[in-house]
Amino acid sequence: MLQPNFILIVADDMGYGDFGVFSGGRVHTPNLDRMVDEGLCLTQHYSGSPVCSPARAALLTGRYPHRTGALTPQEVRGMDRISVREQTMGDVFRAGGYATGLIGKWHNGALDDRYHPNARGFDEFVGFRGGWMDYWDWWIERNGTREWGDGRYLTDVFTAEAVDFVRRHQTHPFLLVLTYNAPHSPLHAPDEVTARYKVAGHSESVAMTYAMIEQMDHGVGNILEELDTLGLAENTFISFSSDNGPAVRLRADQVPEGVSVDTGRPNAGLRGAKGSVYEGGIRVPWIARWPAGLSPAESSQLFHFTDWLPTLSAYAGIEIPDNGLPLDGEDIRSRLTSEWTDDRVRFWQLNGWDPIYTLNAAMRDGDWKLVRPAVPLQAADERSQAAMDRYVEMDIRYKYHPDEVTELMDDPPPEIVVPDPLPAELYNVADDPFEETDLADAEPDRVSTMLSALEAWAEEIEHDRRQARP
């Protein structure tokens, strides 16, 4: 078989309930629904993190994001960066002879050219390096050269660039990572699409969110059509997922004047949302179509973002260079088409500043899931609160005035009051996918064993994190 082409499409802040097929038709996504029907649908697929930068780092490196240095979306602190010692999916596929491109949102190193996508394995980059971008008044880079908005909607720009990439590389194996920023805020959508959802009874903020998703789905349809036109559909592995669960409450500067910041909406019953290690924050669909290599099916096997680098490399017949940094993911080709008893464990953890492994952390071991609930973090004093506010201010300024923020901030990091952790929770996700029944009191030995495993992982990962230096 000829080497397949790969198109990995990643949405931004899109949950299970944002797909038409999983929402009872609440959202109009005919092209994604078609991919579910024609391809492989993984219903227990997990992101590497409940927020953007670390999730993307896990996908691109096959390693837990803590190991890579990408801990939070805070680009002005450099916390979004994948350490230069890591190799990315772009590095691996380019070394294997593939043409490589990344179109859309990067968010794994915004303020230093050592972390530019062109320096991280991607021959071509068209997009933006930060965490979000205006959909109408946008600016993007094309291999380091800045371009400004031309009146088109940004999602449509990324679709057009993806179609062009496929056309230009149709005679050579390619890897295209297409990272739409929809439906991430700011809330901007074509009026005519938004109007249909408002007529259906949705609030304006939710209507705009659904319209952003529908416009992205339209772009997916254009790409599928182009693959058909060029005769590439049979041997192109095209997948769609999301970096994390849905955002349900936005900042006031991220919505039009007079529009609610509440974007809460059904997420197929899953508990939690973006930022949370409950299922709604980390469990995201993965749908893939590859007629030459995958039969249409649905799999409830447990898969993780870190599995995709070794798996796709194996499909391509590429050996991953040994750089001395072992992968956390595994080649899961055989598990995609058959049932396995999965004995691997997986971990998640997120804080807004530096890792606190007793807060907002989780572990899956088979059907069992341990959760260390999140607790709000507070600044230790007025100076620290001012520093936190300053970092947020500069993050926002970078999006709107990039020429004013070109280096990392050198402000002292804020001191955080570390609160006492809440009691650990335990769920059987097979019986209780909505995490409604805490079984910790009924299973104290299991809780103790899983807590010990989580603590051991935290110790190991923290040691590795401290080695992830620029």
Side-chain angles (χ1 to χ4, degrees):
M1 179 187 297
L2 295 174
Q3 284 182 299
N5 303 306
F6 296 91
I7 302 176
L8 275 62
I9 306 174
V10 182
D12 199 350
D13 295 357
M14 182 173 173
Y16 257 94
D18 292 332
F19 290 69
V21 68
F22 302 127
S23 70
R26 183 179 294 105
V27 197
H28 186 62
T29 58
N31 297 294
L32 294 178
D33 296 351
R34 170 189 166 194
M35 285 184 64
V36 171
D37 291 338
E38 297 178 353
L40 176 67
C41 179
L42 307 181
T43 60
Q44 277 206 91
H45 175 265
Y46 287 86
S47 176
S49 174
V51 294
C52 302
S53 302
R56 294 158 194 270
L59 177 66
L60 290 173
T61 67
R63 287 161 50 82
Y64 284 120
H66 296 70
R67 299 192 197 276
T68 73
L71 294 173
T72 79
Q74 297 163 309
E75 59 258 24
V76 295
R77 294 181 67 218
M79 303 298 279
D80 62 329
R81 296 173 168 182
I82 296 174
S83 171
V84 294
R85 72 175 188 159
E86 303 283 337
Q87 60 183 342
T88 72
M89 188 178 292
D91 292 320
V92 171
F93 273 76
R94 183 163 65 182
Y98 272 66
T100 59
L102 191 140
I103 295 171
K105 171 176 170 175
W106 172 237
H107 211 189
N108 279 133
L111 296 174
D112 187 324
D113 285 344
R114 291 176 299 168
Y115 304 92
H116 193 284
N118 291 148
R120 306 313 303 266
F122 292 99
D123 300 318
E124 300 181 28
F125 170 62
V126 180
F128 60 94
R129 288 194 270 170
W132 52 268
M133 180 59 63
D134 194 289
Y135 287 81
W136 297 111
D137 187 19
W138 46 263
W139 60 271
I140 59 175
E141 295 182 36
R142 185 180 302 275
N143 299 322
T145 300
R146 190 173 298 169
E147 298 179 2
W148 298 91
D150 55 11
R152 290 180 295 164
Y153 186 62
L154 186 55
T155 298
D156 297 339
V157 173
F158 291 151
T159 295
E161 293 291 339
V163 169
D164 180 66
F165 181 93
V166 171
R167 286 174 181 165
R168 289 187 291 104
H169 296 286
Q170 60 182 292
T171 61
H172 187 84
F174 62 79
L175 165 72
L176 173 61
V177 181
L178 172 57
T179 51
Y180 284 114
N181 52 318
H184 194 291
S185 58
L187 293 187
H188 296 154
D191 291 340
E192 64 276 13
V193 185
T194 301
R196 295 199 296 271
Y197 289 101
K198 291 174 67 176
V199 168
H202 299 290
S203 69
E204 187 164 7
S205 58
V206 172
M208 294 181 76
T209 303
Y210 285 161
M212 295 166 79
I213 293 168
E214 180 174 332
Q215 198 69 16
M216 176 172 53
D217 177 85
H218 180 71
V220 172
N222 287 350
I223 296 167
L224 293 173
E225 181 179 358
E226 189 65 25
L227 292 175
D228 289 335
T229 299
L230 298 175
L232 299 178
E234 181 71 15
N235 199 32
T236 296
F237 182 109
I238 179 169
S239 66
F240 185 99
S241 190
S242 176
D243 58 352
N244 46 252
V248 297
R249 191 168 184 83
L250 308 178
R251 293 197 314 263
D253 66 290
Q254 294 286 277
V255 300
E257 186 175 355
V259 174
S260 172
V261 297
D262 182 3
T263 54
R265 54 203 186 271
N267 190 26
L270 299 179
R271 180 178 179 181
K274 177 181 181 178
S276 167
V277 296
Y278 290 113
E279 295 290 277
I282 56 176
R283 187 167 172 173
V284 292
W286 183 293
I287 51 180
R289 193 191 72 170
W290 178 27
L294 291 174
S295 299
E298 179 179 295
S299 174
S300 60
Q301 293 287 295
L302 189 60
F303 300 109
H304 189 273
F305 261 23
T306 57
D307 293 326
W308 290 107
L309 173 57
T311 300
L312 300 184
S313 300
Y315 276 134
I318 297 173
E319 184 174 349
I320 299 176
D322 183 3
N323 67 346
L325 301 176
L327 301 184
D328 292 302
E330 297 180 11
D331 175 4
I332 57 170
R333 288 174 297 168
S334 59
R335 298 170 187 249
L336 289 174
T337 54
S338 60
E339 294 298 316
W340 286 71
T341 300
D342 198 334
D343 57 358
R344 295 183 300 162
V345 296
R346 294 164 180 80
F347 302 92
W348 298 266
Q349 191 279 327
L350 173 72
N351 297 116
W353 296 91
D354 291 308
I356 304 170
Y357 294 97
T358 56
L359 307 178
N360 205 31
M363 171 189 178
R364 271 291 300 264
D365 183 358
D367 291 336
W368 294 95
K369 181 178 176 184
L370 181 83
V371 174
R372 305 240 43 186
V375 178
L377 301 180
Q378 295 181 336
D381 49 38
E382 291 184 1
R383 183 205 66 80
S384 293
Q385 183 61 57
M388 294 171 72
D389 294 342
R390 174 74 171 158
Y391 279 117
V392 173
E393 173 195 344
M394 295 301 289
D395 261 340
I396 296 172
R397 183 175 298 182
Y398 167 70
K399 310 306 191 302
Y400 290 112
H401 305 286
D403 293 325
E404 296 180 8
V405 185
T406 58
E407 297 180 351
L408 298 185
M409 291 178 60
D410 58 4
D411 295 34
E415 294 183 28
I416 304 298
V417 176
V418 179
D420 293 333
L422 295 174
E425 300 168 358
L426 181 70
Y427 302 95
N428 186 305
V429 178
D431 297 335
D432 180 22
F434 305 141
E435 297 170 298
E436 295 175 324
T437 305
D438 180 4
L439 300 175
D441 289 342
E443 296 274 353
D445 292 342
R446 188 181 301 277
V447 170
S448 178
T449 298
M450 294 181 74
L451 278 174
S452 295
L454 179 60
E455 290 167 3
W457 174 79
E459 182 176 348
E460 174 199 338
I461 216 84
E462 183 65 10
H463 176 269
D464 212 13
R465 179 180 81 88
R466 294 184 181 280
Q467 310 305 312
R469 296 289 185 249

